[in-house]
Amino acid sequence: MKDILNVFKSMGDETRAKILLLLAHKNVCAKGIAKHVNISEAAVSQHIKVLKQNNLITGYKDGYYVIYHINKDLFQKSKDFLGSLINEDLQDYKEKFDIQEFNILDCKTNCKSMKKCCKKRLEEEK
């Protein structure tokens, strides 16, 4: 599950998101990434380091250059996770995150402030 969370954390940076969009389209070396994204090679190197550490991209040596490409399997897992959120099919993830079912009565007994949200729902359920 940590790998999926790392996808979202890594994509939180606009430049890394641009790099991933480029690599989704074609495999590119660091020099090509710098040219397409319009940043320095040193900056690309730092972003590549983060993306590689989180397994979002991998690279292979082609002569003098390392050619980078996205980890499609990891992005598919992330897509499946988002699909689960949309379809409310969360059972697998509830177990992985140890999330309990929401029970409005638990909220009544555990909530110190019992503000508008729970109080209103309790009244509607009566």
Side-chain angles (χ1 to χ4, degrees), residues 115-126:
K115 296 284 183 188
K116 297 176 186 174
C117 68
C118 297
K119 190 173 185 177
K120 186 175 182 178
R121 287 188 187 133
L122 276 172
E123 290 171 0
E124 290 172 357
E125 288 181 5
K126 289 181 182 180

Side-chain angles (χ1 to χ4, degrees), residues 19-37:
I19 291 170
L20 290 169
L21 285 169
L22 173 63
L23 294 178
H25 179 66
K26 65 182 186 174
N27 299 342
V28 183
C29 68
K31 192 172 208 130
I33 293 170
K35 193 175 197 175
H36 286 292
V37 182

Side-chain angles (χ1 to χ4, degrees), residues 46-89:
Q46 294 300 310
H47 289 294
I48 284 174
K49 179 180 175 185
V50 172
L51 294 170
K52 283 177 67 176
Q53 283 176 341
N54 292 314
N55 202 27
L56 275 71
I57 65 171
T58 55
Y60 61 90
K61 194 91 163 141
D62 184 15
Y64 178 75
Y65 299 100
V66 176
I67 308 299
Y68 296 99
H69 54 92
I70 64 168
N71 180 347
K72 291 184 180 184
D73 293 335
L74 181 56
F75 282 97
Q76 184 61 52
K77 283 174 62 177
S78 301
K79 180 182 173 186
D80 294 344
F81 173 74
L82 290 174
S84 296
L85 292 176
I86 293 166
N87 299 324
E88 297 180 19
D89 180 22

Side-chain angles (χ1 to χ4, degrees), residues 92-101:
D92 291 341
Y93 297 103
K94 285 180 182 178
E95 292 169 8
K96 288 177 184 175
F97 282 108
D98 192 29
I99 296 173
Q100 306 295 319
E101 285 292 325

